[in-house]
Amino acid sequence: MTGADLVVLSNRGPFSFSRDKNGELVSKRSGGGLASTLGPVLQKIKTTWITAAVTDTDREAVQGASQETVGHASDIQAVTNSFGQTVLKTLILDPARYSMAYDVVSNTVLWFCLHNLFDPVHQPHLDCHFTKAWEAYREINRQFAASAANEAAEDAHVLVQDYHLFLVGSFLAELRPDLSITHFTHTPFCSPQDLGYLPDPISKELLSAMFSYKACGFHAKRWEEAYKSCCRELLEKDPNQTFVAPLGPDINYLNQTVASSECTDAYSRINKLAGGNRLILRVDRIEPSKNILRGFLAFEEMMKTRADLREKVVFLAMLYSSRQQLAQYISYKAEIETLVKRINDTWSTKNWSPIILNIQDNHVHSVAALRAYDVLLVNPIKDGLNLIAKEGPIVNSNNGVVVLSNQTGAFEELKDHVIEVNPFDITQTAQALANGLDTGITERKQTAQALKSLISQRAANGWFNDLLKVCSL
Amino acid sequence: MTGADLVVLSNRGPFSFSRDKNGELVSKRSGGGLASTLGPVLQKIKTTWITAAVTDTDREAVQGASQETVGHASDIQAVTNSFGQTVLKTLILDPARYSMAYDVVSNTVLWFCLHNLFDPVHQPHLDCHFTKAWEAYREINRQFAASAANEAAEDAHVLVQDYHLFLVGSFLAELRPDLSITHFTHTPFCSPQDLGYLPDPISKELLSAMFSYKACGFHAKRWEEAYKSCCRELLEKDPNQTFVAPLGPDINYLNQTVASSECTDAYSRINKLAGGNRLILRVDRIEPSKNILRGFLAFEEMMKTRADLREKVVFLAMLYSSRQQLAQYISYKAEIETLVKRINDTWSTKNWSPIILNIQDNHVHSVAALRAYDVLLVNPIKDGLNLIAKEGPIVNSNNGVVVLSNQTGAFEELKDHVIEVNPFDITQTAQALANGLDTGITERKQTAQALKSLISQRAANGWFNDLLKVCSL
């Protein structure tokens, strides 16, 4: 049997597509960092990477590109392109079914469950419509599995990525018992209580599917432990093999970006924008799990309790929109804008406005801002890893301090060199921001150096090498 | 030293007071059942019961009644009355401070934390105002402790009730090391993750205070286990002595109520209201933890999927308002009314309206409704015990079936004779309601008999005798 020695499955591919103002298709490196992480390693192994066309524009783009084949592997339409030495196979899935799986199950129910974002009095709302959406999710997972079964060489390794594809394992193990199939969860994994939000047959189906993998990986020990507790309490089984392999930043890519003239220009503009004030920064997707509202409230409490810091600090929030097809994300964005206006209206003086809200999606500008911060605020409710907490110290040139939520995967690695916060504690976060600003230059230098050196020890390919090691065991 | 051999501390006393339409003070047996539970037992022991005047009317009433003393025990103003053979001591606490402790800390933060009701993206909102409210809560607890220290005979037993008074133990143990002090939590106890909503110093203060009791009691094993996990994970200590003592219904009182002519009349009216339809019933305080919205949504899904049950069943919701000084409770009540109207507008026919919403606070009418149900729906998100699930089968005369959330304390005792639901699963709840209605008469009779006999084995005084036993160990 010919085929790929390594098959990678992920919902989103290395590029996403949109149309520019002239109506031309333009491609963009996808968020998530998987592409740059895998890039260097994939050149050594015969790899097929299977993804889905996420948007209508993606579907159009992959079908219109220099494609080698439009085939029907089993019953699934797919387009094959090459991406470096890797074969990139994009599944063209039924848009209505894909939307139920992606928008309803993955991004509304599973994401909210795994990050503890439900308002339990009102959400989740699991009725007969959800049952249908779950059937769509199951079918999309089956189609990924069928495609992988078709692509993999005998005894190949299969790496299944993330919560969109939890169920692939049970289908694929049945189709191809020769394969060595590993799953990696990039989000947190939740406690048995939180998984209990799902209907009992569904939480059991999910865990049973995870149980069918040779191994399940997580970014942090706490998510691994949560998964094990779920196996024990809800499945009443000892867990299968698990491992912890935190992702690192793509340091070469970051250094190249910092060195670019676009980044240098943006850095100048940001310094001008800060207007000689000290700089608190956050860089985030507009996402409820990021706890953006409490970040602003903490900053306001700091201004209340530390009059000496008023007119001396600005809070720059570099945010970018996402999932604007979901009601929760539209209203969360509006809440952010309303709160920022209210705080600025309350505290602004003639020459100073405390919060600068910058909503755009520009990676280079974000990197430029990371160069400049005095304090970087990373306070998620829960976060599988949080790569910004690792990228910030790599590019920062200001001996900046990191205020980090103890509910992030990255906290496990970085805790000795950051200011810890409980993300729900606004008062503690306010004090942490002030402490960050108060830290003396000698301590800042030492801490920044220690963070940078710790993070550099485990760059992006460390994660992927760990995954390959687990596969080969 | 003279004094009481038993001191009971609870936030609310056996009576609450209001003014009737002529402006006259009228007293009413308080909700919660502690009064009727303690009544018979207290006659044998020299007891002082210390409570707080909760409302302005309470304060007025106790000060105006046939009082024996208005004294200042240490620095706390108190009124002493007798209640049977028990001395009833009502603390007159500073209203502003009491309101911060009661409304903000106890009923908004602690209640929501213990029942997993927070919407984590927005609530809790723990800023410098909460720090002040916590100081008020601590002070109220200190005042209860000072009063108990003053009242208790040497080596007396002290029983501290519920989440309003978690901190009493640490103050009282220091003031009076001779006393044997036990705490009983009537709510659920939450997981370490949920207790983590509180600022770290506060969750540690709370657990340390609980640790200072000789023993801590709960209505169910799951809450005991949750408390132990919190001690281990957040306090890094092996837990102190714990015990499980579920409360039972006051069977004599229920039987007397059923036999009253007021109840007989109400029973006739309810049967007339049901109009020959089969009856699904819920009896609840309007309280987010009771999961009232999902109950109606499940009933609607049943009507969607089981056309044969339309125009044959009505859902009677006997609800009573509470905590209407809190915004969440006002909006929850409005949401209920809006949803009921929407469902009735959708499904009503010429001679049939599916939901009858009855908002009033009348215990006799509730008992009359419990006599009549075919299916009793009890689906809380979390509930320390849920006494309705035990009272229903005692008074029901219709071989009714109970649909019970597996997140209630009562579920542990009753699970073999009820239809289990995951409270978040609307589809499963809809099916459970239909199953309840479909159950044949032979099985209904057997189940109803088994439930009644099981519940009767442990009536109200069983709980109190267990508490006294733990004290005497």
Side-chain angles (χ1 to χ4, degrees):
Chain A
M1 187 189 252
T2 59
D5 296 322
L6 176 66
V7 180
V8 178
L9 279 71
S10 66
N11 173 67
R12 194 181 281 273
F15 301 106
S16 65
F17 295 89
S18 56
R19 292 202 174 273
D20 67 14
K21 51 193 172 184
N22 303 319
E24 298 293 316
L25 280 170
V26 287
S27 72
K28 209 177 62 171
R29 216 179 89 123
S30 283
L34 197 59
S36 62
T37 303
L38 298 185
V41 189
L42 291 188
Q43 304 190 352
K44 300 178 200 151
I45 309 171
K46 193 180 169 197
T47 305
T48 294
W49 186 350
I50 304 175
T51 72
V54 177
T55 62
D56 287 343
T57 321
D58 284 354
R59 271 183 280 271
E60 218 179 307
V62 292
Q63 284 175 316
S66 60
Q67 61 199 59
E68 291 164 23
T69 25
V70 177
H72 290 260
S74 55
D75 55 344
I76 312 139
Q77 200 196 354
V79 176
T80 308
N81 304 102
S82 63
F83 161 62
Q85 307 213 13
T86 298
V87 173
L88 182 60
K89 188 167 168 157
T90 307
L91 306 183
I92 312 291
L93 303 160
D94 177 72
R97 180 185 286 145
Y98 183 76
S99 162
M100 284 213 280
Y102 184 62
D103 291 329
V104 180
V105 175
S106 296
N107 285 345
T108 306
V109 176
L110 292 180
W111 179 272
F112 275 59
C113 186
L114 294 167
H115 288 84
N116 184 29
L117 299 177
F118 285 127
D119 164 16
V121 178
H122 303 97
Q123 295 290 341
H125 186 130
L126 303 175
D127 59 4
C128 49
H129 301 290
F130 176 72
T131 310
K132 279 192 193 129
W134 182 258
E135 284 162 11
Y137 176 83
R138 188 192 286 133
E139 176 58 18
I140 297 291
N141 274 253
R142 194 196 63 72
Q143 295 184 343
F144 264 92
S147 178
N150 227 42
E151 295 295 322
E154 200 163 352
D155 299 325
H157 297 320
V158 181
L159 297 182
V160 182
Q161 303 296 321
D162 232 357
Y163 62 99
H164 315 84
L165 301 176
F166 276 140
L167 305 186
V168 164
S170 44
F171 295 113
L172 189 52
E174 205 174 305
L175 289 169
R176 291 286 306 274
D178 59 302
L179 301 177
S180 157
I181 318 167
T182 299
H183 188 276
F184 195 89
T185 303
H186 290 267
T187 61
F189 206 82
C190 63
S191 65
Q193 172 180 303
D194 290 351
L195 205 64
Y197 282 122
L198 303 179
D200 302 349
I202 287 180
S203 57
K204 286 204 173 108
E205 181 179 351
L206 192 159
L207 286 174
S208 299
M210 290 193 75
F211 205 81
S212 72
Y213 292 101
K214 183 181 167 191
C216 291
F218 304 90
H219 281 308
K221 199 159 176 48
R222 64 189 306 148
W223 316 137
E224 180 191 40
E225 287 302 323
Y227 169 68
K228 287 180 176 180
S229 300
C230 286
C231 285
R232 288 194 197 100
E233 284 187 36
L234 303 178
L235 217 53
E236 293 176 18
K237 280 185 180 175
D238 281 331
N240 50 338
Q241 194 194 334
T242 56
F243 63 99
V244 173
L247 192 62
D250 186 346
I251 294 177
N252 292 338
Y253 175 79
L254 286 172
N255 287 338
Q256 282 164 23
T257 307
V258 167
S260 70
S261 62
E262 191 190 348
C263 191
T264 310
D265 292 351
Y267 180 67
S268 302
R269 278 198 305 279
I270 283 163
N271 279 328
K272 205 175 283 174
L273 208 62
N277 289 286
R278 302 193 67 194
L279 186 67
I280 296 174
L281 174 71
R282 79 176 305 142
V283 177
D284 275 307
R285 193 157 64 78
I286 294 181
E287 158 59 53
S289 66
K290 301 296 183 184
N291 206 19
I292 296 168
L293 299 170
R294 285 196 188 83
F296 291 133
L297 293 168
F299 177 61
E300 182 176 40
E301 183 159 319
M302 187 196 83
M303 289 191 288
K304 266 186 208 158
T305 51
R306 285 288 301 270
D308 60 308
L309 292 173
R310 290 176 213 158
E311 299 189 83
K312 294 206 173 62
V313 186
V314 291
F315 186 151
L316 172 61
M318 305 276 287
L319 306 180
Y320 54 100
S321 298
S322 76
R323 302 186 188 173
Q324 291 290 304
Q325 72 278 29
L326 299 181
Q328 290 101 319
Y329 286 76
I330 296 169
S331 68
Y332 193 62
K333 187 176 173 189
E335 284 180 85
I336 287 170
E337 289 170 330
T338 305
L339 179 62
V340 168
K341 180 171 186 322
R342 206 269 297 147
I343 294 176
N344 277 341
D345 286 352
T346 307
W347 297 93
S348 289
T349 58
K350 201 179 157 198
N351 298 310
W352 175 77
S353 203
I355 302 177
I356 303 167
L357 179 61
N358 185 312
I359 300 184
Q360 59 162 330
D361 187 359
N362 186 315
H363 185 66
V364 176
H365 292 192
S366 299
V367 171
L370 288 173
R371 272 189 70 188
Y373 68 79
D374 289 281
V375 178
L376 177 66
L377 176 60
V378 182
N379 66 326
I381 289 174
K382 270 195 184 185
D383 206 332
L385 180 80
N386 198 291
L387 209 49
I388 293 289
K390 293 186 168 187
E391 290 174 341
I394 291 294
V395 304
N396 183 261
S397 58
N398 198 19
N399 297 304
V401 173
V402 179
V403 172
L404 186 57
S405 162
N406 56 21
Q407 303 297 315
T408 59
F411 182 76
E412 278 185 12
E413 295 168 83
L414 308 182
K415 63 182 168 207
D416 291 342
H417 310 293
V418 297
I419 303 181
E420 172 180 359
V421 288
N422 170 345
F424 298 107
D425 190 342
I426 292 170
T427 297
Q428 186 194 34
T429 307
Q431 289 163 350
L433 292 174
N435 289 350
L437 295 168
D438 290 345
T439 306
I441 185 64
T442 315
E443 193 182 337
R444 286 176 61 152
K445 273 188 182 161
Q446 281 169 354
T447 308
Q449 195 46 53
L451 259 181
K452 197 167 180 166
S453 130
L454 178 69
I455 295 165
S456 304
Q457 281 164 31
R458 184 177 174 84
N461 56 356
W463 172 78
F464 195 60
N465 289 333
D466 279 357
L467 257 69
L468 292 181
K469 229 180 282 166
V470 171
C471 285
S472 314
L473 286 180
Chain B
M1 186 188 254
T2 58
D5 296 321
L6 176 67
V7 180
V8 178
L9 281 71
S10 66
N11 173 66
R12 192 181 283 272
F15 302 106
S16 65
F17 295 88
S18 57
R19 291 201 176 273
D20 66 14
K21 50 191 171 184
N22 302 318
E24 296 294 315
L25 279 171
V26 288
S27 72
K28 209 178 63 173
R29 215 177 89 123
S30 283
L34 197 60
S36 62
T37 303
L38 297 186
V41 189
L42 291 188
Q43 303 190 352
K44 301 178 199 150
I45 309 170
K46 193 180 168 198
T47 306
T48 294
W49 186 349
I50 304 175
T51 72
V54 177
T55 63
D56 286 342
T57 322
D58 284 354
R59 271 182 281 271
E60 220 179 306
V62 293
Q63 284 176 315
S66 59
Q67 63 200 58
E68 291 165 23
T69 26
V70 177
H72 292 259
S74 55
D75 55 345
I76 313 139
Q77 199 195 357
V79 176
T80 309
N81 304 103
S82 63
F83 161 63
Q85 305 213 14
T86 299
V87 172
L88 182 61
K89 189 169 165 153
T90 307
L91 306 183
I92 313 289
L93 303 160
D94 177 72
R97 179 185 287 145
Y98 182 76
S99 162
M100 283 213 281
Y102 184 62
D103 292 329
V104 180
V105 175
S106 296
N107 285 345
T108 306
V109 175
L110 293 179
W111 179 271
F112 275 60
C113 185
L114 294 167
H115 288 85
N116 183 29
L117 299 177
F118 284 129
D119 165 15
V121 178
H122 303 97
Q123 295 290 340
H125 186 130
L126 303 174
D127 59 4
C128 49
H129 301 289
F130 176 72
T131 310
K132 279 191 192 130
W134 182 258
E135 283 162 12
Y137 176 83
R138 187 192 287 134
E139 176 58 18
I140 297 290
N141 273 253
R142 194 197 62 74
Q143 295 185 343
F144 264 91
S147 177
N150 228 43
E151 296 294 322
E154 199 162 351
D155 299 326
H157 298 319
V158 182
L159 298 182
V160 182
Q161 304 295 321
D162 231 356
Y163 63 99
H164 315 85
L165 301 176
F166 277 139
L167 304 186
V168 163
S170 44
F171 294 112
L172 189 52
E174 205 174 306
L175 289 168
R176 291 286 307 272
D178 59 302
L179 301 176
S180 158
I181 318 166
T182 300
H183 188 276
F184 195 90
T185 303
H186 290 267
T187 60
F189 206 83
C190 63
S191 64
Q193 172 179 304
D194 289 352
L195 206 64
Y197 282 122
L198 303 178
D200 302 349
I202 286 179
S203 58
K204 286 205 173 108
E205 181 178 352
L206 191 159
L207 287 174
S208 299
M210 290 193 74
F211 205 80
S212 73
Y213 292 101
K214 183 183 166 188
C216 291
F218 304 91
H219 281 308
K221 201 162 174 48
R222 63 190 308 148
W223 317 136
E224 181 190 41
E225 288 301 324
Y227 169 69
K228 287 181 177 179
S229 300
C230 286
C231 285
R232 288 193 197 101
E233 285 187 36
L234 303 178
L235 216 54
E236 293 176 18
K237 279 186 181 175
D238 282 329
N240 50 337
Q241 194 195 334
T242 57
F243 63 98
V244 174
L247 193 61
D250 186 345
I251 293 177
N252 291 338
Y253 175 79
L254 286 172
N255 287 339
Q256 283 164 23
T257 307
V258 168
S260 70
S261 61
E262 190 189 348
C263 191
T264 310
D265 291 351
Y267 181 66
S268 302
R269 279 198 305 278
I270 283 163
N271 279 327
K272 204 173 285 173
L273 208 61
N277 290 285
R278 302 193 67 192
L279 185 67
I280 296 174
L281 174 71
R282 79 176 306 142
V283 177
D284 275 307
R285 194 157 63 79
I286 296 182
E287 160 57 53
S289 66
K290 301 297 184 184
N291 206 20
I292 296 168
L293 299 171
R294 285 196 188 84
F296 291 133
L297 293 168
F299 177 61
E300 182 176 38
E301 183 159 318
M302 188 196 80
M303 289 190 288
K304 266 186 210 159
T305 51
R306 285 288 302 269
D308 60 309
L309 292 173
R310 290 176 212 158
E311 297 188 85
K312 294 207 175 58
V313 186
V314 291
F315 186 150
L316 172 61
M318 306 276 286
L319 306 180
Y320 54 101
S321 298
S322 77
R323 302 186 189 172
Q324 291 290 303
Q325 73 278 29
L326 299 182
Q328 291 102 319
Y329 286 77
I330 296 169
S331 67
Y332 193 61
K333 188 176 171 187
E335 284 180 86
I336 287 170
E337 290 170 330
T338 305
L339 179 61
V340 168
K341 180 171 187 319
R342 206 269 297 147
I343 294 177
N344 277 340
D345 287 351
T346 307
W347 298 93
S348 289
T349 59
K350 202 178 158 199
N351 298 310
W352 175 77
S353 202
I355 302 176
I356 303 167
L357 179 61
N358 185 312
I359 300 183
Q360 58 163 329
D361 188 0
N362 186 317
H363 184 67
V364 176
H365 291 192
S366 300
V367 171
L370 289 173
R371 271 189 71 187
Y373 67 79
D374 289 281
V375 178
L376 177 66
L377 176 61
V378 182
N379 66 326
I381 290 174
K382 270 194 184 184
D383 205 333
L385 180 80
N386 197 291
L387 210 48
I388 293 289
K390 293 185 168 188
E391 290 175 340
I394 291 294
V395 305
N396 183 261
S397 58
N398 196 21
N399 297 305
V401 174
V402 179
V403 172
L404 185 57
S405 161
N406 56 21
Q407 302 297 314
T408 59
F411 182 77
E412 277 184 11
E413 294 168 83
L414 309 182
K415 62 182 169 208
D416 291 341
H417 309 292
V418 297
I419 303 182
E420 173 180 358
V421 287
N422 169 345
F424 298 107
D425 191 342
I426 292 170
T427 296
Q428 186 194 35
T429 307
Q431 288 163 351
L433 292 174
N435 290 350
L437 294 169
D438 290 344
T439 307
I441 186 63
T442 316
E443 192 182 338
R444 285 175 62 151
K445 273 189 182 162
Q446 281 169 355
T447 308
Q449 195 46 53
L451 259 181
K452 197 166 179 165
S453 131
L454 179 69
I455 295 165
S456 304
Q457 282 165 30
R458 185 177 173 83
N461 56 356
W463 172 77
F464 195 60
N465 289 334
D466 279 358
L467 258 68
L468 292 181
K469 229 179 282 168
V470 171
C471 285
S472 313
L473 286 179

